[in-house]
Structures are given as C-alpha cells and as structure tokens.
Amino acid sequence: ASPGHFVGYEASPNQTPCPPGTYNPDQGATSQSACLQTPTGTYAPGGSPTPLLASPGHFVDQDNSTGQTPCPPGTYNPDSGSTSLTDCLPSPPGTYVEEAGSATFLLCPGGTFSAVQSAMSNEICEPTPPGSYSPPGSVSHTLCSPGEFQPSYGQESCLLADIGNFSENYGS
C-alpha cells in the first residue's frame, strides 16, 4: 500500500485511504491501525501520507482534524501550525483585516488614520483634517509644521508655503 493508505486483506484489488483526520507515512500498511491521528496544529484529508500544517491565517485546535479554522475578520495570523484562536492576533491601530483567514493586515490608506484595534474594514479609517497629514497606517494625524500648510481633508502630506507667504503655526 502507498503512504496514506492500507491494504487490509490478501488479493485486494484496491488500497484503502486512511480516514480523514489521520495519516500514514509508511508504505505497505496492512490495517487501519497504521493510520495515525493528526496532532493539534495539523489536519489531514483522507489518504494523507503526512499531516498538513495549519496555513497562515488559520489554526487547528484539536487532534484528529480534517480541516483548519480561519481566523475571524479583524484578526490575522502570520504563522503556520497554529493551535488556537488566541494565535489570531488583533489588527493593530492604523490597520484593518476584512477577510477571514488572513495572514496579514492592511494599512489604513494615506490621508486617513485609526486608533481602533481589530478593525474589520477601512471604513474605520478617518480622513485627516485640514492642517494635518497622515501617511498610510497612521494611528493619528500629524499637524503640519510651521512653513507648511494643508487646506484639504484626507491628505498624506503638507504643502510648502509659497514664496511671499508664510505659515508660522503648527496645523495651518
């Protein structure tokens, strides 16, 4: 029998796959008892020669698992082989995670900011007010320095005061 399978009786025309949630790394298995349970952090569809690690953005919290569980929106997990929902990290302020099963977070766009953790949408990213700017992934807006200004909402940078004009205060 091939790895991931067994042949339980003589003159068998077919091999039998190990059941889902088990695996068999050896060749020539003669019974289902050769199929081993997958450990926590791994899973196996039927006929698997090896257990599969939980993918980034997912976890497997039980032995003998046939699949993996995605991290919920608002969380992410960059690691393989995770064993618990607690391995799903909250998206930090200035970021968001829209999809279940994410391995990374997305930055709030430039010209916006957010102090909210575990955000599930970029709708939580607030536009930067006039007199300030926010690069992508900002937790708060930053006031324009003296000599700079910004008359518009939602900007990534400030403008330099033109020759013949000046801006002496922060937040102009």
Side-chain angles (χ1 to χ4, degrees):
S2 304
H5 298 79
F6 64 93
V7 176
Y9 57 93
E10 286 187 38
S12 174
N14 297 312
Q15 57 184 0
T16 304
C18 287
T22 67
Y23 69 101
N24 176 11
D26 300 323
Q27 193 161 353
T30 58
S31 75
Q32 186 171 329
S33 64
C35 301
L36 308 170
Q37 284 191 356
T38 59
T40 305
T42 68
Y43 67 100
S48 295
T50 58
L52 303 170
L53 282 176
S55 304
H58 297 79
F59 64 95
V60 178
D61 60 359
Q62 296 178 340
D63 292 344
N64 206 38
S65 290
T66 60
Q68 54 186 347
T69 304
C71 291
T75 68
Y76 72 102
N77 180 359
D79 301 321
S80 298
S82 296
T83 60
S84 170
L85 176 60
T86 59
D87 294 326
C88 301
L89 306 171
S91 62
T95 71
Y96 61 99
V97 177
E98 291 181 324
E99 304 285 327
S102 292
T104 61
F105 51 80
L106 300 169
L107 299 177
C108 282
T112 68
F113 66 97
S114 173
V116 175
Q117 183 173 295
S118 300
M120 294 183 270
S121 164
N122 69 356
E123 291 177 15
I124 202 74
C125 305
E126 300 177 43
T128 302
S132 62
Y133 68 98
S134 300
S138 292
V139 174
S140 63
H141 60 90
T142 303
L143 295 176
C144 294
S145 297
E148 300 177 336
F149 71 104
Q150 182 49 260
S152 303
Y153 279 94
Q155 300 301 308
E156 260 186 76
S157 61
C158 295
L159 305 171
L160 296 176
D162 292 331
I163 294 175
N165 295 299
F166 69 97
S167 173
E168 63 183 334
N169 299 320
Y170 282 94
S172 294

